[in-house]
Amino acid sequence: MNGIHLMVIGVAAAAFLGLHPEAGSLFLFVASAAQTSSPGFAGYADLPGVRLWYTDSGGNGAALILLHANTGNADSWQYNIPGFVESGYRVITFDRRGWGRSRPNPGTGPQPGTIADDLHALVEHLGIDRFHLVGVAGGGFAAYDYVLWHPERLRSLVVAASGGAIVDEELRQLRQKTSLPGFSSWPPEFREVSMGYMATNREGLQRWLEIHHHSQQKGAPAQPQRTTITFEKLKTIRVPTLLMPGDQDLQAPPWVMRRQLAHIPGAEFIVLPEASHSINWEQPEAFNRNVLEFIRKH
């Protein structure tokens, strides 16, 4: 089956499932992986409190689950999935409850739920025992929440471009002193995408904005953490951990993530050059390379 046939399958599957047109590209990746292994999937799982939209590349490799940022959905991983699949991993993404194509279902569970609970329900649904977990930005909040709840389920943890939702008064005061005037009201691309990327990749920027506009649903509440995340709790993490800030990130700069590093025993630290808060989108090859080098050890 050639690439053209697979693209047709991807677009047709997206249309059949009632997904956004861009979902066809994600389905293409899972279809490609399915040629020599177990079938891939792009669609819905009915879980407690949510009809969760997810993609699963299938295959027999170790599972790698990707948690998207607050300004994205599962499509934010479109430049990363192929490389991870080609490296032999079973790659899974999902739209968070109230984001993208996932829909809350009050008839089957409480609202708004937590990302960690939805993640756990999904891995139970898929019968996955242990897996690698990667969270970017807001996805990093959920990654910390999950590792503090179910560390035994993780092979490794990667938190990238994320402040980690750490509750700490000293850190809050430092962030307040160093915050840029009116930063929260800036357009999302100026808050989350590097100047260099905006200047040199207008097509990529427009695609990023398109995904952002299909991210959080109007009126959907943000899901809280299961637990309050503190530096003291980070000290309990024994799962192999990689922290990866971008050197141009205005929201979670390296100095912020180094404070997380100081509290996680044995954690590794890589600063990705020429990357801002949308780290995996701006620098997909470098992002994948560093993630793969790390998770292959675990």
Side-chain angles (χ1 to χ4, degrees), residues 11-285:
V11 174
F16 176 77
L17 292 168
L19 311 177
H20 295 307
E22 61 266 24
S25 61
L26 281 174
F27 198 90
L28 169 63
F29 301 151
V30 300
S32 299
Q35 293 182 81
T36 58
S37 56
S38 60
F41 180 82
Y44 289 94
D46 289 312
L47 305 176
V50 62
R51 192 159 192 252
L52 196 78
W53 192 90
Y54 74 99
T55 70
D56 180 355
S57 71
N60 299 315
L64 171 60
I65 300 182
L66 310 174
L67 301 178
H68 67 74
N70 292 345
T71 48
N73 57 44
D75 298 336
S76 301
W77 298 104
Q78 67 180 59
Y79 297 140
N80 306 101
I81 292 174
F84 289 140
V85 171
E86 289 169 7
S87 296
Y89 290 91
R90 177 183 177 184
V91 182
I92 297 162
T93 69
F94 65 91
D95 288 349
R96 287 157 32 184
R97 191 186 310 201
W99 262 253
R101 292 142 287 209
S102 292
R103 293 293 183 269
N105 187 352
T108 62
Q111 302 298 326
T114 72
I115 305 169
D117 277 304
D118 290 345
L119 167 60
H120 193 65
L122 180 61
V123 296
E124 292 290 285
H125 172 77
L126 296 175
I128 296 171
D129 181 20
R130 299 181 69 235
F131 56 96
H132 301 284
L133 183 61
V134 176
V136 165
F141 305 175
Y144 276 146
D145 202 19
Y146 191 82
V147 72
L148 292 171
W149 180 32
H150 276 299
E152 78 285 354
R153 301 299 289 268
L154 296 188
R155 296 174 179 267
S156 72
L157 173 69
V158 178
V159 174
S162 182
I166 310 296
V167 175
D168 180 81
E169 181 58 23
E170 180 187 10
L171 178 61
R172 187 195 68 79
Q173 291 182 16
L174 288 172
R175 298 304 305 269
Q176 189 174 41
K177 289 178 181 177
T178 58
S179 63
L180 295 165
F183 183 72
S184 61
S185 63
W186 291 12
E189 62 270 34
F190 284 90
R191 287 185 280 114
E192 305 215 0
V193 180
S194 71
M195 298 297 104
Y197 189 85
M198 286 195 286
T200 60
N201 196 330
R202 299 301 298 177
E203 182 178 344
L205 176 63
Q206 290 307 309
R207 178 72 182 114
W208 185 90
L209 285 168
E210 180 183 358
I211 292 171
H212 166 59
H213 292 317
H214 289 102
S215 56
Q216 189 172 13
Q217 297 157 16
K218 186 176 181 179
Q223 293 176 288
Q225 274 70 249
R226 286 180 55 88
T227 185
T228 299
I229 301 170
T230 65
F231 286 133
E232 285 303 308
K233 289 178 182 176
L234 294 189
K235 291 179 181 179
T236 70
I237 295 175
R238 294 297 182 269
V239 172
T241 300
L242 169 66
L243 303 181
M244 184 162 47
D247 68 347
Q248 298 180 33
D249 193 344
L250 299 177
Q251 295 203 56
W255 73 265
V256 168
M257 295 201 70
R258 286 187 190 280
R259 287 176 172 261
Q260 299 168 34
L261 175 70
H263 292 87
I264 302 175
E268 298 185 27
F269 194 83
I270 295 172
V271 179
L272 202 62
E274 297 189 56
S276 185
H277 205 55
S278 57
I279 186 169
N280 64 295
W281 182 268
E282 293 183 50
Q283 298 289 346
E285 293 183 3

